[in-house]
Amino acid sequence: MVSAAPVVGGAAAAGPRLGADFFARDVAQVAPGLIGCLLLVDGVGGVIVETERYQEDDPASHSYRGPRGRAAVMFGPPGHLYVYRSYGIHWCANLVCEPEGRGAAVLLRALAPTHGLPAMRARRRDRPDRLLCAGPGRLCQALGVDGALDGVSAVAAEGRVALHAPAGPVDLVSGLRIGITRAADRAWRFGMRGSPFLSRPFPAAPE
DNA sequence: AATATGATAGTCT
DNA sequence: GACTATCATATTG
């Protein structure tokens, strides 16, 4: 028995679950396409408001040097998580894209928190709600994402992780990626226009 | 508001 | 030995 879609933060809640076919496409489509989707880990999460695109011919991508070491997961099945440690301290979560054998993924950079706020506040030590998931490291801390989820499917019928399509249209913006030095001129960062939960605002003027 | 710095570990040169 | 898809805190203007 399915009741009417609940309303969260003024926005209608999620559409159907995303499947492997969603992620098997060109990462150029998936990275902006994830904006507005609902991400849940163990029932805790929110609406994706910021992503970045990484691919095999991209010097800034971990997959640039081939399917070796931790980057091997990026060449695995689409719709799985690639979780790695950043700067020795933080976890960062990606969703693997394109057919198996290709090394592409989307970095999850920020969420608008909607589900399980108390759990997120506890993990984030009572920081302001605006900063619960505003950044790749913060997002993983709030959702309890760590190395145990590396290589795990986000599209399997049963599992800890699920994604749902947006309920309505999404107002997209794009800009330069953040925190990298190589291939820094590619406008492969995507966001939901005007969201207060971005890790950093998108410049008003085109770059 | 902008800039500096330390924490800390895996991967690369 | 250097660098990194980061964050929190401290310092300066």
Short mmCIF file of all heavy atoms in Angstrom, two decimals, chain A residues 65 68-70 85 87-89, chain B residues 6-13:
data_model
loop_
_atom_site.label_atom_id
_atom_site.label_comp_id
_atom_site.label_asym_id
_atom_site.label_seq_id
_atom_site.Cartn_x
_atom_site.Cartn_y
_atom_site.Cartn_z
N ARG A 65 45.21 6.77 -15.04
CA ARG A 65 46.36 5.87 -15.19
C ARG A 65 45.93 4.41 -15.32
O ARG A 65 46.74 3.51 -15.09
CB ARG A 65 47.30 6.03 -14.01
CG ARG A 65 48.03 7.34 -14.04
CD ARG A 65 48.62 7.68 -12.67
NE ARG A 65 48.56 9.10 -12.41
CZ ARG A 65 49.43 9.98 -12.89
NH1 ARG A 65 50.41 9.58 -13.66
NH2 ARG A 65 49.31 11.27 -12.64
N ARG A 68 43.96 0.44 -12.06
CA ARG A 68 44.91 -0.09 -11.08
C ARG A 68 44.58 0.46 -9.70
O ARG A 68 44.07 1.56 -9.56
CB ARG A 68 46.34 0.34 -11.45
CG ARG A 68 46.76 -0.14 -12.83
CD ARG A 68 48.27 -0.03 -12.96
NE ARG A 68 48.71 1.35 -12.83
CZ ARG A 68 48.99 2.15 -13.86
NH1 ARG A 68 48.86 1.68 -15.09
NH2 ARG A 68 49.40 3.38 -13.67
N GLY A 69 44.92 -0.35 -8.71
CA GLY A 69 44.75 0.09 -7.34
C GLY A 69 43.31 0.45 -7.03
O GLY A 69 42.38 -0.20 -7.48
N ARG A 70 43.17 1.52 -6.25
CA ARG A 70 41.83 1.90 -5.81
C ARG A 70 40.94 2.30 -6.99
O ARG A 70 39.72 2.18 -6.93
CB ARG A 70 41.91 3.07 -4.82
CG ARG A 70 42.52 4.32 -5.40
CD ARG A 70 42.62 5.44 -4.37
NE ARG A 70 43.20 6.65 -4.98
CZ ARG A 70 43.40 7.79 -4.35
NH1 ARG A 70 43.06 7.90 -3.08
NH2 ARG A 70 43.92 8.81 -4.97
N ARG A 85 39.69 7.61 0.25
CA ARG A 85 40.08 8.54 1.30
C ARG A 85 40.81 9.72 0.70
O ARG A 85 41.67 9.55 -0.16
CB ARG A 85 40.97 7.85 2.33
CG ARG A 85 40.81 8.45 3.69
CD ARG A 85 41.80 7.86 4.66
NE ARG A 85 41.27 6.81 5.50
CZ ARG A 85 40.43 7.00 6.50
NH1 ARG A 85 39.96 8.20 6.76
NH2 ARG A 85 40.03 6.01 7.24
N TYR A 87 42.99 13.25 1.31
CA TYR A 87 43.88 13.98 2.22
C TYR A 87 44.08 13.22 3.53
O TYR A 87 44.29 13.83 4.58
CB TYR A 87 43.36 15.39 2.48
CG TYR A 87 43.45 16.27 1.27
CD1 TYR A 87 42.39 16.37 0.38
CD2 TYR A 87 44.61 16.99 1.00
CE1 TYR A 87 42.48 17.16 -0.75
CE2 TYR A 87 44.71 17.78 -0.12
CZ TYR A 87 43.65 17.87 -0.99
OH TYR A 87 43.73 18.65 -2.11
N GLY A 88 43.98 11.90 3.47
CA GLY A 88 44.23 11.09 4.64
C GLY A 88 43.17 11.13 5.71
O GLY A 88 43.25 10.40 6.68
N ILE A 89 42.15 11.97 5.53
CA ILE A 89 41.20 12.20 6.60
C ILE A 89 39.76 11.90 6.20
O ILE A 89 39.03 11.24 6.93
CB ILE A 89 41.25 13.67 7.07
CG1 ILE A 89 42.65 14.04 7.47
CG2 ILE A 89 40.28 13.91 8.21
CD1 ILE A 89 42.78 15.46 7.87
P DG B 6 51.54 24.48 9.95
OP1 DG B 6 52.64 25.10 10.71
OP2 DG B 6 51.78 23.93 8.60
"O5'" DG B 6 50.88 23.35 10.84
"C5'" DG B 6 49.92 23.70 11.84
"C4'" DG B 6 48.90 22.60 11.96
"O4'" DG B 6 47.85 22.75 10.96
"C3'" DG B 6 49.46 21.19 11.76
"O3'" DG B 6 48.92 20.34 12.75
"C2'" DG B 6 48.99 20.80 10.37
"C1'" DG B 6 47.66 21.53 10.26
N9 DG B 6 47.23 21.87 8.91
C8 DG B 6 48.02 22.35 7.88
N7 DG B 6 47.34 22.58 6.77
C5 DG B 6 46.05 22.23 7.09
C6 DG B 6 44.87 22.26 6.28
O6 DG B 6 44.76 22.62 5.11
N1 DG B 6 43.76 21.81 6.99
C2 DG B 6 43.78 21.38 8.30
N2 DG B 6 42.61 20.98 8.80
N3 DG B 6 44.86 21.36 9.05
C4 DG B 6 45.95 21.79 8.39
P DA B 7 49.61 18.92 13.03
OP1 DA B 7 49.85 18.81 14.47
OP2 DA B 7 50.70 18.72 12.05
"O5'" DA B 7 48.44 17.91 12.65
"C5'" DA B 7 47.16 18.09 13.25
"C4'" DA B 7 46.17 17.22 12.52
"O4'" DA B 7 45.82 17.85 11.27
"C3'" DA B 7 46.72 15.83 12.18
"O3'" DA B 7 45.86 14.83 12.65
"C2'" DA B 7 46.81 15.83 10.65
"C1'" DA B 7 45.78 16.87 10.25
N9 DA B 7 46.11 17.55 8.99
C8 DA B 7 47.33 17.98 8.56
N7 DA B 7 47.32 18.55 7.38
C5 DA B 7 45.97 18.49 7.00
C6 DA B 7 45.29 18.92 5.86
N6 DA B 7 45.89 19.53 4.82
N1 DA B 7 43.96 18.71 5.81
C2 DA B 7 43.36 18.11 6.84
N3 DA B 7 43.90 17.65 7.96
C4 DA B 7 45.23 17.88 7.99
P DT B 8 46.43 13.46 13.07
OP1 DT B 8 45.48 12.89 14.02
OP2 DT B 8 47.86 13.65 13.43
"O5'" DT B 8 46.38 12.63 11.71
"C5'" DT B 8 45.12 12.39 11.11
"C4'" DT B 8 45.35 11.80 9.73
"O4'" DT B 8 45.71 12.86 8.81
"C3'" DT B 8 46.49 10.77 9.69
"O3'" DT B 8 46.06 9.64 8.97
"C2'" DT B 8 47.61 11.51 8.97
"C1'" DT B 8 46.79 12.40 8.03
N1 DT B 8 47.52 13.56 7.47
C2 DT B 8 46.89 14.31 6.50
O2 DT B 8 45.77 14.06 6.11
N3 DT B 8 47.61 15.36 6.01
C4 DT B 8 48.91 15.72 6.38
O4 DT B 8 49.46 16.67 5.86
C5 DT B 8 49.50 14.90 7.39
C7 DT B 8 50.87 15.21 7.88
C6 DT B 8 48.78 13.88 7.88
P DA B 9 46.71 8.21 9.40
OP1 DA B 9 45.80 7.54 10.34
OP2 DA B 9 48.12 8.44 9.74
"O5'" DA B 9 46.66 7.42 8.02
"C5'" DA B 9 45.43 7.26 7.34
"C4'" DA B 9 45.70 7.13 5.86
"O4'" DA B 9 46.07 8.41 5.33
"C3'" DA B 9 46.84 6.18 5.50
"O3'" DA B 9 46.55 5.59 4.25
"C2'" DA B 9 48.02 7.13 5.31
"C1'" DA B 9 47.27 8.26 4.60
N9 DA B 9 47.98 9.52 4.58
C8 DA B 9 48.86 10.02 5.50
N7 DA B 9 49.34 11.20 5.19
C5 DA B 9 48.71 11.50 4.00
C6 DA B 9 48.79 12.61 3.15
N6 DA B 9 49.55 13.67 3.38
N1 DA B 9 48.03 12.59 2.02
C2 DA B 9 47.26 11.52 1.77
N3 DA B 9 47.11 10.42 2.50
C4 DA B 9 47.87 10.48 3.61
P DG B 10 46.47 4.02 4.09
OP1 DG B 10 45.27 3.58 4.79
OP2 DG B 10 47.81 3.48 4.41
"O5'" DG B 10 46.23 3.84 2.51
"C5'" DG B 10 45.16 4.52 1.89
"C4'" DG B 10 45.61 5.10 0.57
"O4'" DG B 10 46.33 6.33 0.77
"C3'" DG B 10 46.54 4.18 -0.24
"O3'" DG B 10 46.05 4.12 -1.56
"C2'" DG B 10 47.90 4.88 -0.16
"C1'" DG B 10 47.48 6.35 -0.05
N9 DG B 10 48.47 7.22 0.59
C8 DG B 10 49.14 7.00 1.77
N7 DG B 10 49.94 7.99 2.08
C5 DG B 10 49.80 8.90 1.06
C6 DG B 10 50.42 10.17 0.86
O6 DG B 10 51.24 10.74 1.57
N1 DG B 10 49.97 10.77 -0.32
C2 DG B 10 49.06 10.24 -1.19
N2 DG B 10 48.76 10.94 -2.26
N3 DG B 10 48.47 9.05 -1.00
C4 DG B 10 48.89 8.45 0.13
P DT B 11 46.65 3.06 -2.58
OP1 DT B 11 45.52 2.25 -3.03
OP2 DT B 11 47.85 2.44 -1.99
"O5'" DT B 11 47.16 3.95 -3.81
"C5'" DT B 11 46.52 5.16 -4.14
"C4'" DT B 11 47.47 6.07 -4.89
"O4'" DT B 11 48.28 6.81 -3.95
"C3'" DT B 11 48.44 5.33 -5.81
"O3'" DT B 11 48.39 5.91 -7.09
"C2'" DT B 11 49.79 5.51 -5.13
"C1'" DT B 11 49.60 6.86 -4.44
N1 DT B 11 50.50 7.11 -3.29
C2 DT B 11 51.14 8.32 -3.21
O2 DT B 11 51.02 9.20 -4.03
N3 DT B 11 51.95 8.48 -2.11
C4 DT B 11 52.17 7.55 -1.10
O4 DT B 11 52.91 7.80 -0.16
C5 DT B 11 51.46 6.31 -1.26
C7 DT B 11 51.65 5.23 -0.23
C6 DT B 11 50.66 6.14 -2.34
P DC B 12 49.18 5.29 -8.32
OP1 DC B 12 48.25 5.28 -9.44
OP2 DC B 12 49.84 4.06 -7.88
"O5'" DC B 12 50.30 6.38 -8.61
"C5'" DC B 12 49.91 7.73 -8.89
"C4'" DC B 12 51.13 8.62 -8.80
"O4'" DC B 12 51.61 8.60 -7.43
"C3'" DC B 12 52.29 8.19 -9.69
"O3'" DC B 12 52.64 9.24 -10.56
"C2'" DC B 12 53.41 7.85 -8.70
"C1'" DC B 12 53.02 8.65 -7.47
N1 DC B 12 53.54 8.04 -6.21
C2 DC B 12 54.38 8.79 -5.40
O2 DC B 12 54.67 9.94 -5.73
N3 DC B 12 54.88 8.22 -4.27
C4 DC B 12 54.55 6.98 -3.94
N4 DC B 12 55.04 6.46 -2.82
C5 DC B 12 53.67 6.19 -4.76
C6 DC B 12 53.20 6.76 -5.87
P DT B 13 53.77 9.06 -11.72
OP1 DT B 13 53.35 9.86 -12.88
OP2 DT B 13 54.05 7.62 -11.89
"O5'" DT B 13 55.06 9.74 -11.06
"C5'" DT B 13 55.00 11.11 -10.67
"C4'" DT B 13 56.33 11.54 -10.07
"O4'" DT B 13 56.53 10.89 -8.79
"C3'" DT B 13 57.54 11.20 -10.93
"O3'" DT B 13 58.39 12.33 -10.98
"C2'" DT B 13 58.20 10.04 -10.19
"C1'" DT B 13 57.86 10.36 -8.75
N1 DT B 13 57.84 9.19 -7.82
C2 DT B 13 58.53 9.28 -6.63
O2 DT B 13 59.14 10.26 -6.31
N3 DT B 13 58.44 8.16 -5.85
C4 DT B 13 57.75 7.00 -6.11
O4 DT B 13 57.75 6.06 -5.34
C5 DT B 13 57.06 6.98 -7.38
C7 DT B 13 56.30 5.76 -7.78
C6 DT B 13 57.13 8.07 -8.16
#
